Amino acid sequence: MKRKDSKNLGEILTETLQPILANSRYGEIQAMDLWKNCFPETLQPFLGECFVKNKILYVKIKSSVLAHEVQNQRRSLIQKINSTIGQTVISDIKFY
């Protein structure tokens, strides 16, 4: 017997996961993962911890040369992270 108001699994998952994906904390976690993936494997040892607070991504970079390059390309990195996530999660990148 077929129901009149049946939905496929994809529709149900979309409806269920939409509030979770819209959560800002989930976007922040994605941004922190994407931050590390913006750099090649050879530069990974120079990247330290990162966290997001008030839409600002705070990062620790162990190399002053890499920190200078990131400072110069900060806007493009922010745009790349936000476009991958699909919403504005990061408004600035600061070093600590």
Side-chain angles (χ1 to χ4, degrees):
M1 182 169 168
K2 186 165 180 151
R3 296 182 184 205
K4 293 180 183 179
D5 60 346
S6 64
K7 297 180 182 177
N8 67 23
L9 183 60
E11 293 172 349
I12 295 170
L13 286 175
T14 302
E15 290 174 5
T16 306
L17 294 176
Q18 193 64 29
I20 295 170
L21 297 177
N23 184 354
S24 64
R25 183 66 185 147
Y26 180 75
E28 291 173 358
I29 292 169
Q30 279 185 312
M32 289 186 289
D33 286 339
L34 288 171
W35 166 254
K36 297 250 180 186
N37 294 333
C38 285
F39 299 94
E41 194 67 33
T42 56
L43 296 178
Q44 294 292 324
F46 299 107
L47 300 176
E49 303 87 31
C50 65
F51 64 92
V52 178
K53 184 175 181 182
N54 297 329
K55 292 191 172 191
I56 298 174
L57 178 65
Y58 292 91
V59 297
K60 185 176 230 178
I61 299 180
K62 300 172 187 173
S63 167
S64 61
V65 175
L66 182 59
H68 182 72
E69 287 298 317
V70 169
Q71 185 71 24
N72 289 338
Q73 298 189 12
R74 183 173 50 176
R75 291 290 162 211
S76 64
L77 288 169
I78 292 170
Q79 183 180 11
K80 181 178 179 182
I81 291 170
N82 287 335
S83 65
T84 302
I85 295 173
Q87 58 183 350
T88 303
V89 176
I90 303 298
S91 62
D92 198 7
I93 297 174
K94 294 196 176 183
F95 306 102
Y96 72 97

